[in-house]
Amino acid sequence: METPVLDYGSRGRIGLLLPSVNQAAEPQIRAMLPRDVGIAVTRLKLVDSSELGLLSMTHDVEAAAALLADAGVDLVVLHCTAVSTYSAELEASILERIGVATGLPATATSQSLVAALDAMRARRVVLLSPYTEEVNKRETAYFVRRGFDVLGNVGLNCSTGREMMAVTPEAWQAFALSQVQTEAEAYVLSCTTVRTAEAIESLECSLGSPVITSNSAVAWDCMRRLGISAVVPGYGRLLGHVAGH
């Protein structure tokens, strides 16, 4: 019997801080990375998108990030869209705290989405999410502050992570196609715990514009930050060209 050849992250290792309820980010990001890029995951308590829940997720950032540092990661990502786009001030505070706790570079879903949209040269965007109106308003304000023209931000009014995960890829596709804006230069399917990866390519064909998800943005941006050049087919234009270029 042939001995299997395993790779433990020879080209780089990414540390993810995920909401505890998240079921989508690990399988999606693993599929969106080359086999020789490793991931390590630690969770922070978050089961819903209430304001209290989102802010509470940040309480143990230092301890959780330190656990990822123990695993020898090269980069730590606070991977929650609703938390990282809560405000620019909270985003900056979280990244500073992770850096102090680990001595490692740190980023967040929010920054990866901005970098991905910049790479696609998209300034006029449509944001689609599973979130409530309250969360969407904060996300819109975040992207406007970053210089984007948000043509629309519509949510499915899900409150819990399990509700978000229950939305099928087919439902996401139908939802996005119902929100077409002719001036849009990109569509963002926001949230890390949703089944949107399967819909990216078909939506790009239908919409004629880049479709970026929270998970595809983080996979692409982490490779860029680590200097890893790779093309990963099957997940849209962003990952379909060489990361870092």
Side-chain angles (χ1 to χ4, degrees):
M1 182 180 295
E2 187 175 342
T3 303
V5 177
L6 301 177
D7 193 290
Y8 297 95
S10 58
R11 291 177 75 188
R13 288 176 55 75
I14 300 163
L16 299 171
L17 294 171
L18 294 183
S20 56
V21 76
N22 195 301
Q23 299 176 45
E26 287 167 280
Q28 289 182 19
I29 290 176
R30 180 64 275 163
M32 292 170 176
L33 292 172
R35 197 173 151 222
D36 52 6
V37 178
I39 60 173
V41 176
T42 295
R43 280 175 155 71
L44 293 164
K45 185 66 174 178
L46 181 65
V47 296
D48 62 45
S49 57
S50 67
E51 186 170 13
L52 176 61
L54 294 174
L55 294 177
S56 296
M57 182 183 168
T58 69
H59 290 172
D60 298 319
V61 159
E62 288 89 348
L67 295 177
L68 292 174
D70 289 346
V73 301
D74 302 299
L75 172 70
V76 177
V77 186
L78 189 283
H79 193 33
C80 177
T81 317
V83 169
S84 61
T85 61
Y86 184 92
S87 70
E89 292 75 18
L90 183 63
E91 173 198 64
S93 171
I94 291 169
L95 297 182
E96 181 181 7
R97 289 166 59 194
I98 292 172
V100 170
T102 65
L104 294 170
T107 189
T109 320
S110 49
Q111 292 198 338
S112 294
L113 285 167
V114 169
L117 289 168
D118 285 344
M120 294 290 100
R121 295 182 172 86
R123 306 310 295 175
R124 296 191 296 273
V125 302
V126 173
L127 306 178
L128 303 173
S129 82
Y131 302 137
T132 62
E133 184 177 357
E134 181 183 17
V135 176
N136 280 342
K137 284 181 179 179
R138 290 193 293 264
E139 187 176 44
T140 295
Y142 175 89
F143 280 99
V144 168
R145 184 168 177 175
R146 295 298 187 213
F148 295 95
D149 183 4
V150 177
L151 303 179
N153 189 356
V154 183
L156 295 173
N157 204 35
C158 298
S159 297
T160 69
R162 293 193 178 183
E163 289 176 323
M164 297 172 189
M165 192 66 186
V167 182
T168 65
E170 294 77 17
W172 275 106
Q173 183 164 338
F175 176 44
L177 292 176
S178 74
Q179 301 299 323
V180 173
Q181 295 272 1
T182 56
E183 295 183 357
E185 295 171 334
Y187 290 78
V188 174
L189 304 185
S190 182
C191 186
T192 67
T193 186
V194 285
R195 292 186 286 162
T196 50
E198 301 93 324
I200 295 172
E201 294 236 309
S202 60
L203 278 175
E204 286 193 339
C205 289
S206 298
L207 296 169
S209 299
V211 173
I212 297 167
T213 73
S214 294
N215 290 330
S216 70
V218 161
W220 173 85
D221 188 38
C222 286
M223 286 193 285
R224 180 183 70 93
R225 289 173 182 269
L226 295 176
I228 297 168
S229 296
V231 172
V232 182
Y235 300 101
R237 299 183 197 179
L238 180 67
L239 285 161
H241 74 280
V242 178
H245 289 69

